[in-house]
Amino acid sequence: MVRVIAMSGLLLALFSSVCWARDTTHYLSISDAMNTADAKAKLNAGVTFHFASTPKGAKLITSAVANRKTNAFGKSDEKACKWVFLSAMIALQDRAVKEGANAVTNIVSYYKKNERSSKDEYECHAGAIMAGVALKGDIVKLK
């Protein structure tokens, strides 16, 4: 019985560290993510994207939030983050197309509803199993 208790304690100690969630914040290059082969293939040339800015003459249709997660198991944080960033961008693009718009402007990171505006970087949170990106932007019609 003592052996069983001792073995149970040892196993609990070994596996408890696996259960602790990792949540590493990364600020990664928008340009690098937008220039991947996947992004070039999957983002519609008819919808333009503007980070942390809105061009003059934009007619606001609505605002949108894309909060996406992806499986990060066995991937580097950077690879998982680029993939989930693309997923969020596709969601914003799809919303723009649905609304009859041709642009998404003023795109900002919006992880856990904390707004972070940057023309150069997006925020991604990566753990041992999942990675997540949340983006918020304005769906607009540009002239």
Side-chain angles (χ1 to χ4, degrees):
M1 183 67 172
V2 172
R3 268 192 210 169
V4 171
I5 292 171
M7 186 60 92
S8 296
L10 179 61
L11 288 174
L12 181 63
L14 286 173
F15 290 110
S16 66
S17 64
V18 174
C19 295
W20 291 336
R22 178 172 69 90
D23 184 16
T24 305
T25 303
H26 296 281
Y27 300 104
L28 300 170
S29 169
I30 292 168
S31 179
D32 287 353
M34 293 293 284
N35 286 312
T36 64
D38 285 329
K40 289 179 179 180
K42 295 179 181 196
L43 292 175
N44 181 340
V47 176
T48 60
F49 301 98
H50 304 270
F51 292 85
S53 68
T54 300
K56 290 182 181 178
K59 180 182 176 195
L60 178 66
I61 296 173
T62 190
S63 293
V65 174
N67 186 357
R68 296 293 185 262
K69 305 278 189 239
T70 193
N71 179 353
F73 186 75
K75 298 179 186 111
S76 70
D77 285 359
E78 186 174 355
K79 183 175 181 177
C81 285
K82 281 182 180 177
W83 184 257
V84 75
F85 171 81
L86 178 57
S87 177
M89 292 298 293
I90 291 169
L92 292 175
Q93 170 188 275
D94 291 349
R95 179 69 184 272
V97 169
K98 178 183 172 190
E99 299 289 342
N102 62 358
V104 183
T105 64
N106 198 32
I107 301 169
V108 296
S109 291
Y110 197 60
Y111 199 81
K112 293 188 178 178
K113 298 184 181 180
N114 294 314
E115 203 170 292
R116 182 177 188 277
S117 180
S118 174
K119 290 185 179 201
D120 302 314
E121 296 176 326
Y122 66 96
E123 181 176 352
C124 176
H125 288 250
I129 299 172
M130 301 293 288
V133 167
L135 300 174
K136 181 171 87 167
D138 295 328
I139 307 300
V140 304
K141 185 81 170 177
L142 295 177
K143 295 178 183 180

